[in-house]
Amino acid sequence: MPLENTILICAGGGCISAGEISVKEALENEIKKYALDGVVKVVETGCMDACSLGPLMVIYPEGVFYQKLKPSDAKEIVEEHLLKGRVVQRLLYKGPSGEIKPRATEEIPFFTRQVRIATRNLGVIDPASIEEYIARDGYFALRKALSMTPEMVIEEIKKSGLRGRGGAGFPTGLKWELTRKSKSDEKYLICNADEGDPGAFMDRSMMEGDPHSLLEGMAIGGYAIGAHQGYIYVRAEYPLAIERLKIAIKQAREYGLLGKDIFGSGFDFDVDLRIGAGAFVCGEETALIQSVEGKRGQPVQKPPYPAQSGLWKKPTVINNVETLVDVPYIINKGWEAFASIGTEKSKGTKVFALVGKVNNTGLVEVPMGTTLRELIFDIGGGIPGGKRFKAVQTGGPSGGCIPEEYLDTPIDYESLTSLGTIMGSGGMIVMDEDTCMVDVARFFLQFTADESCGKCTPCREGTRKMLSILDKIVEGNGTMEDIERLETLAVTIKDTALCGLGQTAPNPVLSTLRYFRDEYEAHVKEKRCPAKSCKALIAYRIDPAKCTGCTACARACPTGAITGEVRKVHTIDQEKCIKCGSCFEVCRFDAVEKLDAVEVTADT
Amino acid sequence: MENQTLTDPKFAELDEFIDNLPDKKGMLIGVLHKAQEIFGYLPAEVQHHIAQKLDIPESTVFGVVTFYSFFTMKPRGKYQIKVCLGTACYVKGGQKISDRVKEELGVTGDEPTSDGLFSVQEVRCLGACSMAPVMLVGERDFYGRLTPDKIPQIIESYRRKENKK
Amino acid sequence: MKIKSLEDLEKIKEEGLKNLSGRQGKKRGRITVAMGTCGISAGAKDTLMTIIDELDKNGIDDIAVVQSGCMGLCEVEPTVEVQIGDQEPVIYGNVGIEEAKRIVKEHVIGGRILGDLLVKKSAQ
């Protein structure tokens, strides 16, 4: 029977004098009573450094810390923690400051809920060491694939149910099959590592932390479709990823894992980097191909699809980083291993970048079908500062915002589409009550208006027009007709734009109008920003009852708008105030209030 | 012009890079990256030189330079400060960081400071969203979990580095 | 050397495994600093340099110091994993310069786990 728990009990001088030995004996007795002695190991360690709180113990694998233990606590620890898996709250380590350390509670699900396939090597291996990658079964999948026919490899990927992780979720096996069947003397495989969605950074992390997985996935893909040259199109904003990829390519070539006659199979495949130059539209596959050819990255009409006519007019497959990193796992473990995870139509796992107003920001990989609530509250540890959750934004500038009532939706491609957003590359930006949804929509429209390549009119002119209406609204000058006009424009652009960028650009507006229409109306009708975020609609004021005259705000104010003597109540000159919020942030007495501007003007 | 090309070591360095490319096909963006690394920016004469060297129309070079936000035809500061305004940074106050940086440097847009040391750019996601808000100084120095009051200190550290030289 | 067969691959895997377990050659352990962009923006470069310096100052040459990618839990970057001998690897979070010094002094030299910095055991 494998060991399920290891309990480290501190046997430093402090803990011994506080009664560690009797606690240990009591614990061992309880463990024996429940016949857990085969699966739970109790180990004495050196001092854990919190002697005043001893006796201390840590229970692994969760890493839960307990403090100030008595022999009588042993029973509860065994019954609750070891048998039922419930943390004994009252004994949790609170640290010298008295507050409960987050790691003992929230961070357990952060690790235990994850299923690491695409991120299997992240943080585990040295990315600059091909030997360590091989030690984790790296390049074994390539060897296995080369012993199969390309058709068998494609079949394996098709059966696994793998779908593109970059956005729309096109079945990867099918894409490969279409390209395989295109007749041509030359074919190409391009990895789209132009991770442009703001808020998503999983591709960067994978390239930085596990570059060989990507190279191996590309070599397998190249073999399947019949390509001998692959390109990684990577953003110039990712210098570290570029550096690590260069090292990895060099190592793989030295070992003959890229280059001629790989594993003596007669198959040749090599990979080169192409560095982007800062154009979001290059994430769109036809624009990306233009850019790889060294041209302006403007999209072209489809069909023909890249599978027939792509790079240099040859059949080309374009796959996202995470998709390709999943491939070696599927080949190594078999399609069943991947297909057994996930939902009916979305198989396997997905990596999400959990960012914004959430406690445990970071990269998480969970099975498809995990709910948004599990992701944000169990794994992400909820919203910091006791604030209220408002929405989660997925899919970048092509996606939308999901409100609280849909938090129990299992995440997959279809469910997110039905909520008016998309999976996208997996950015999950959590927003709380302080985030203004109109401003978020404006932020994304500004992004797409800037990034529109200008080729087609609906996108070039339409996004600018939408942006100017949104600007009007956040400044408090909007009308109800503006909201209607916004909707009409959104629908028109969606229907008529040339490429994916334009077609999805209105999504942030449409989804916020769908779920947060009241916020738009508050801006228009009441000239009020409910989140108190839009500068034109708010004002700061100092509460005379709370102000202690500490002068912190006056010193922080960049425009000298705050006056007042030491230990006397300070005031803000509304004329000079630029509403930067510095005073609000530095005040330790909550004396600076953020109010609706209408309220303050009415006062004075 | 031709003489300058022959004598300026920067042009020689660029030529060496171009001559060593195994295949010039599709390499315009790569060449422009290298040229910007060497010259700091891409003025008309550099574009002209590249067009001749790669045997492509100058208009093509100009078209590509103006399409991509990474390329610039104006000089930038020695230390380029890129303040991230990706979504995560934006919701966590990236705009305030950018405002503070500009205030601290006394600039309004992307023009370099009068001493030529710094220039600021507001950029799309730098991919360090979990550390939001972030900024990048030069190619390598990432600063995360920023607050506006940390800015003066960071800028000062680069000024000191310069003064020591 | 070119890898041409499964045997070649297995041989390298074996070597690599020794590396990963931190017991290659005469090395007694391994300290891994997560050096993704997120780690670096949280100050992981200083952490790495401090660890190397402190080990040097104390004349310790049997601990390998390596870099890895992002572990995922960016909230507590910089993160450092310490593995000594046969012990379970331990992950520390929020490791700045002072914390890095303490890790070398107390964990590597003193053999004690630093409870207040502990995030969890190995991510594996």
Side-chain angles (χ1 to χ4, degrees), chain B residues 5-73:
Chain B
T5 307
L6 289 171
T7 51
D8 190 334
K10 286 181 176 171
F11 281 100
E13 190 185 343
L14 181 61
D15 286 352
E16 196 191 330
F17 174 82
I18 296 172
D19 293 337
N20 283 326
L21 289 174
D23 185 3
K24 289 185 186 55
K25 187 170 104 171
M27 284 312 290
L28 176 58
I29 293 175
V31 170
L32 290 171
H33 271 300
K34 185 71 189 176
Q36 187 157 301
E37 186 189 312
I38 296 170
F39 293 91
Y41 67 116
L42 299 169
E45 57 265 39
V46 172
Q47 294 183 36
H48 172 81
H49 181 83
I50 290 171
Q52 286 199 322
K53 196 79 191 165
L54 295 179
D55 198 19
I56 51 176
E58 210 170 323
S59 61
T60 306
V61 178
F62 182 74
V64 169
V65 169
T66 50
F67 185 82
Y68 294 97
S69 64
F70 216 77
F71 298 131
T72 173
M73 291 169 61

Side-chain angles (χ1 to χ4, degrees), chain A residues 559-586:
Chain A
T559 59
I562 302 182
T563 47
E565 288 169 41
V566 183
R567 287 171 211 243
K568 290 207 177 125
V569 171
H570 284 50
T571 49
I572 302 175
D573 180 348
Q574 298 297 337
E575 293 291 307
K576 283 190 189 163
C577 176
I578 54 166
K579 295 168 192 176
C580 69
S582 297
C583 52
F584 185 78
E585 267 149 43
V586 296

Side-chain angles (χ1 to χ4, degrees), chain B residues 78-80 115 117-118 137-143 152-165, chain C residues 45-46:
Chain B
K78 179 172 176 191
Y79 296 103
Q80 286 179 40
D115 56 5
L117 270 188
F118 300 97
V137 181
E139 283 282 292
R140 285 298 155 88
D141 299 352
F142 272 97
Y143 295 90
Q153 204 185 325
I154 294 171
I155 291 173
E156 191 48 39
S157 72
Y158 289 92
R159 287 208 176 107
R160 261 204 310 274
K161 208 191 279 178
E162 280 307 303
N163 289 340
K164 263 188 207 158
K165 281 180 191 167
Chain C
K45 269 187 202 164
D46 291 339

Side-chain angles (χ1 to χ4, degrees), chain A residues 47 49 60 103 111 116 122 125-127 132 136-137 204 208 244 253-255 261 359 361-363, chain C residues 1-4 13 30 35-37 67-68 70-75 106 112 115 118 120 124:
Chain A
C47 179
D49 262 3
Y60 285 123
R103 61 142 197 281
F111 287 103
R116 297 177 49 130
L122 285 193
I125 62 166
D126 177 353
E132 292 195 4
R136 302 265 299 166
D137 291 330
R204 171 183 66 70
E208 283 176 4
R244 301 243 167 103
R253 283 178 185 156
E254 279 165 7
Y255 273 135
D261 192 24
N359 272 314
T361 57
L363 216 55
Chain C
M1 180 203 127
K2 300 273 181 208
I3 297 173
K4 283 290 168 204
K13 178 176 172 177
R30 158 167 163 142
M35 294 279 279
T37 297
Q67 306 182 16
S68 78
C70 168
M71 286 198 334
L73 188 50
C74 311
E75 189 61 30
E106 296 170 34
R112 297 182 307 245
L118 195 69
K120 80 174 275 291
Q124 273 172 273

